[in-house]
Amino acid sequence: MSEPVWYRSLYWRIALGFVGVLAAVLLVQAIVFLWMTGRMADLFPNRTPAQLAAALAADVSGLLSERPDADLDRFINERYSGSSRGFVVVLADGRTVVNHRVPPPPMLARQARGRIFEGMQGGRRDRGERSGWREFGRGSSGPAGVPPPSGEFAPVVVNGTVTGIAAVPLEPPPLWMAARDLGPLLGAVAAVLLTAGTAVAALVIFRPARRRLRHLQDAARAIGAGELGVRAPVAGGDEVAALAGVFNEMASELEQRTTALERSDRTRRQLLADVSHELMTPLAAVRGYVETLQMKEVSLDAETQSRYLQIISEEAERLEHIIGDLLDLARLEGGGGTWRIEPVAIPQLFDRIRRRHEQVLADRGIALLTTIEPEAMTLSGDPNRLEQALQNLVANAIRHTPDGGTIAVRAQADPKGTRLSVEDTGQGIPTEHLDRVFDRFYKVDQSRTGTDIPSGSGLGLSIVRAIVTRHGGQITASNRPEGGARVEIVLPQSTAV
């Protein structure tokens, strides 16, 4: 099976599928990020430290103006519970309020107390002068012995008197604040996206391949159980489909081989039965006549004994021919024996066949006609084996040709090589027997009467087919329109046995 198209490849599907899933995950994360950006204003207010310090100071001033004894710690931490910056509010009466959520640096409270002391030394100040607190907090080094300021400071003024300072550190909020505030939400979103992406990848990418692999597994299990006709579905055009195609080819070849083995086993059993039958007939005849000759109570004259011994000799010779043909056929079909491939002159081949059967042809008045086309004077093959094949065909034709008949042997040029044919003027071969005349021990003599010549061993045509097959040729049997049988052999121009 050819390689799958790249866009049908399972590897490309997996790669593109994961790219698609990743793109979808990033898109959803972008949407979540944009949504969370709206919450950043709540988690991290867009106010500078100076603005936050001023807001703290204003809120504390307003609260103390209305209720001097109010719970300042509770008020501040409830009002600024979402602040991500640390801060501290230090009052002149000693009260200190810090952000419980993000504690400020300890140095910031000490600097705030120094500012209160300085403010108390300066007495009352108006709002224009109060701006100097912030300027002093950012730009001045402060009183002697006080480190440079690390935050923004705003005075808490109640009834025109500085009663405290609100301080906010300059450094940005710590990262752990963002992790603490946004971590659970981001983790939940990541878990949902991971689960959804995995599920989509499994359903879209792996589930179809798994289903087809399961079908392939079921087909393999069925073939292992003996159901050789089962095939795996070939669909998708990817590597799984290619694997299914190769598996089906293997299954088809296995089925063919199994069928061939079963057929071979049946042929072997039939051959054993046929061989036993063919060998039993002459053996039974030999044994019967030998036992008759050995019987002392039976008196046989010399002529009868000679006739019995002649029958025994003929049956032994027939038995020898059958065994020889069986051995010869086994060597041919098994690929054994020595073959000599060379150019064979067809006129000389036909002449040897004529001389071999000359006496029988003359006794029965059968004419043997040979025709050779100029383009078919030679062919390539083993001369001895080719002569054996043609001798068997001519002998078979003589056996089934009535006295006074005609046998024609022809050599013709053929697009595939050389065509050799043997025709007779007998009664032909019944149509239902044409496909089996080359089988071992298969005889149709009962259908081709008209001659007193005894039938052969039933192996001659099988040997002819084996010889032709070893030469890479083809052999067929048919009936002539005007009557009689025709056997044709087509041999290639060059033969490699």
Side-chain angles (χ1 to χ4, degrees), residues 216-484:
L216 184 60
Q217 177 183 357
D218 295 339
R221 185 179 291 111
I223 289 180
E227 302 177 17
L228 300 180
V230 176
R231 297 293 182 268
V234 180
D238 55 11
E239 287 78 5
V240 178
L243 178 61
V246 174
F247 175 84
N248 290 341
E249 293 177 1
M250 179 198 68
S252 299
E253 185 176 355
L254 179 62
E255 184 179 15
Q256 293 175 1
R257 292 185 179 183
T258 303
T259 304
L261 287 175
E262 293 176 351
R263 188 185 304 111
S264 176
D265 184 67
R266 290 194 300 268
T267 303
R268 179 184 61 82
R269 294 176 184 272
Q270 184 64 38
L271 176 61
L272 289 176
D274 293 339
V275 169
S276 300
H277 174 74
E278 293 295 330
L279 295 180
M280 186 61 66
T281 301
L283 284 175
V286 170
R287 180 179 180 182
Y289 284 105
V290 169
E291 290 179 350
T292 301
L293 292 174
Q294 289 178 343
M295 295 175 62
K296 296 181 180 181
E297 62 274 13
V298 177
S299 178
L300 300 175
D301 54 29
E303 183 181 355
T304 303
Q305 290 181 357
S306 177
R307 183 164 55 85
Y308 284 1
L309 290 174
Q310 179 65 29
I311 295 175
I312 292 174
S313 176
E314 293 174 355
E315 294 297 331
E317 184 178 0
R318 180 186 175 192
L319 184 61
E320 182 181 1
H321 288 165
I322 293 175
I323 295 174
D325 288 343
L326 282 172
L327 293 176
D328 196 16
L329 182 60
R331 284 193 296 268
L332 289 170
E333 293 183 341
T338 302
W339 292 70
R340 185 176 75 256
I341 304 302
E342 60 186 39
V344 179
I346 294 180
Q348 287 79 1
L349 180 61
F350 283 4
D351 186 61
R352 288 194 297 271
I353 293 172
R354 180 184 296 277
R355 292 199 303 268
R356 167 69 176 79
H357 301 283
E358 186 175 9
Q359 187 61 46
V360 177
L361 294 172
D363 292 341
R364 297 184 54 198
I366 299 176
L368 178 61
L369 306 179
T370 58
T371 304
I372 305 175
E373 291 185 353
E375 298 83 2
M377 286 295 178
T378 61
L379 56 80
S380 175
D382 186 295
N384 294 329
R385 288 298 185 180
L386 290 177
E387 181 178 350
Q388 179 185 6
L390 289 177
Q391 292 284 11
N392 286 350
L393 290 179
V394 172
N396 189 72
I398 293 173
R399 187 178 299 113
H400 299 96
T401 300
D403 295 346
T406 302
I407 297 176
V409 181
R410 295 186 176 89
Q412 300 169 295
D414 187 89
K416 297 181 179 179
T418 303
R419 180 183 299 273
L420 303 176
S421 62
V422 178
E423 301 177 353
D424 61 52
T425 56
Q427 294 187 355
I429 305 172
T431 305
E432 64 272 14
H433 297 289
L434 286 174
D435 294 334
R436 301 192 60 188
V437 293
F438 298 104
D439 294 346
R440 301 181 186 92
F441 299 113
Y442 192 79
K443 301 177 183 179
V444 290
D445 291 337
Q446 65 273 18
S447 301
R448 299 184 66 178
T449 58
T451 176
D452 296 331
I453 301 299
S455 63
S457 64
L459 296 173
L461 293 181
S462 298
I463 292 175
V464 173
R465 181 177 61 179
I467 293 174
V468 173
T469 302
R470 286 290 298 274
H471 279 81
Q474 297 177 346
I475 184 171
T476 57
S478 60
N479 290 314
R480 301 168 62 235
E482 60 272 19

Side-chain angles (χ1 to χ4, degrees), residues 19-288:
V19 169
V21 171
L22 181 60
V25 170
L26 292 178
L27 177 62
V28 174
Q29 284 184 336
I31 295 174
V32 172
F33 176 77
L34 293 176
W35 174 76
M36 293 181 61
T37 303
R39 294 196 57 196
M40 295 295 290
D42 298 330
L43 297 173
F44 303 101
N46 190 18
R47 290 186 289 187
T48 64
Q51 292 173 337
L52 179 59
L56 280 168
D59 290 337
V60 173
S61 298
L63 177 65
L64 294 180
S65 298
E66 296 178 0
R67 292 181 297 162
D69 57 348
D71 188 350
L72 187 62
D73 184 274
R74 179 179 179 183
F75 171 77
I76 294 298
N77 280 283
E78 286 181 355
R79 188 173 183 83
Y80 294 90
S81 60
S83 176
S84 58
R85 286 184 176 273
F87 58 79
V88 61
V89 178
V90 179
L91 299 181
D93 58 7
R95 287 184 292 175
T96 302
V97 179
V98 299
N99 187 353
H100 294 171
R101 190 164 179 264
V102 185
M107 181 63 68
L108 189 64
R110 290 195 294 270
Q111 291 179 351
R113 291 190 184 93
R115 298 300 184 275
I116 293 175
F117 176 77
E118 180 184 357
M120 292 177 65
Q121 292 292 330
R124 295 176 179 270
R125 302 184 184 274
D126 56 18
R127 291 186 180 272
E129 292 174 333
R130 283 200 300 269
S131 62
W133 289 82
R134 291 192 296 273
E135 294 173 0
F136 172 78
R138 291 293 304 274
S140 174
S141 61
V146 179
S150 58
E152 292 286 352
F153 304 90
V156 177
V157 179
V158 179
N159 298 324
T161 304
V162 176
T163 60
I165 286 184
V168 177
L170 295 175
E171 63 267 14
L175 293 178
W176 63 266
M177 285 295 302
R180 185 182 70 178
D181 292 340
L182 304 180
L185 179 60
L186 290 176
V189 172
V192 171
L193 291 177
L194 179 62
T195 303
T198 304
V200 171
L203 292 176
V204 175
I205 301 174
F206 297 106
R207 188 170 182 269
R210 178 180 179 275
R211 182 173 61 253
R212 288 185 290 147
L213 288 174
R214 178 61 62 85
H215 292 328
L216 184 60
Q217 177 183 357
D218 295 339
R221 185 179 291 111
I223 289 180
E227 302 177 17
L228 300 180
V230 176
R231 297 293 182 268
V234 180
D238 55 11
E239 287 78 5
V240 178
L243 178 61
V246 174
F247 175 84
N248 290 341
E249 293 177 1
M250 179 198 68
S252 299
E253 185 176 355
L254 179 62
E255 184 179 15
Q256 293 175 1
R257 292 185 179 183
T258 303
T259 304
L261 287 175
E262 293 176 351
R263 188 185 304 111
S264 176
D265 184 67
R266 290 194 300 268
T267 303
R268 179 184 61 82
R269 294 176 184 272
Q270 184 64 38
L271 176 61
L272 289 176
D274 293 339
V275 169
S276 300
H277 174 74
E278 293 295 330
L279 295 180
M280 186 61 66
T281 301
L283 284 175
V286 170
R287 180 179 180 182

